[in-house]
Amino acid sequence: MNTQDIQRLKSLAERILKNGITREEALLSLQRAGHLDKDGNFTKHYQHLARAIAANTANSAANSTTVATATDTSETF
C-alpha cells in the first residue's frame, strides 16, 4: 500500500463519517470485499465473523431483556 492508497482510504473514511452510510451501501461494500455472498451471508473465509456477530447479538438481546425486566420491576414499586 503506497501513500496514495492510504490517502484514498483516509478520504473515504472521512466522507463516510461525515455523510454516513446506508445499510445497502454497507452490505454492498462487504460483498465487494468478499466478506458476504450475494445473499448477505458470510463467505467461507469469514465464518468467524458470523459467529462473533451471533454471540454479540445474543448478548445484546440478553442485556436488553435484563434491563427491561429491571425497569419494569422498579416501576411497579
Side-chain angles (χ1 to χ4, degrees):
M1 184 176 280
N2 62 34
T3 305
Q4 187 178 15
D5 293 333
I6 293 170
Q7 185 57 43
R8 285 184 191 143
L9 285 174
K10 286 173 65 176
S11 296
L12 175 62
E14 289 169 357
R15 181 184 60 81
I16 290 171
L17 288 174
K18 180 180 175 187
N19 299 331
I21 187 169
T22 66
R23 182 178 192 279
E24 291 78 17
E25 289 171 327
L27 290 173
L28 184 58
S29 176
L30 290 169
Q31 287 171 337
R32 286 181 185 152
H35 297 278
L36 299 178
D37 63 17
K38 65 182 177 97
D39 297 321
N41 300 312
F42 282 96
T43 57
K44 180 176 83 172
H45 297 292
Y46 295 97
Q47 288 301 305
H48 62 286
L49 295 176
R51 289 188 298 273
I53 289 173
N56 187 39
T57 302
N59 288 338
S60 295
N63 289 340
S64 65
T65 302
T66 303
V67 170
T69 303
T71 305
D72 292 343
T73 304
S74 64
E75 290 177 1
T76 58
F77 288 102

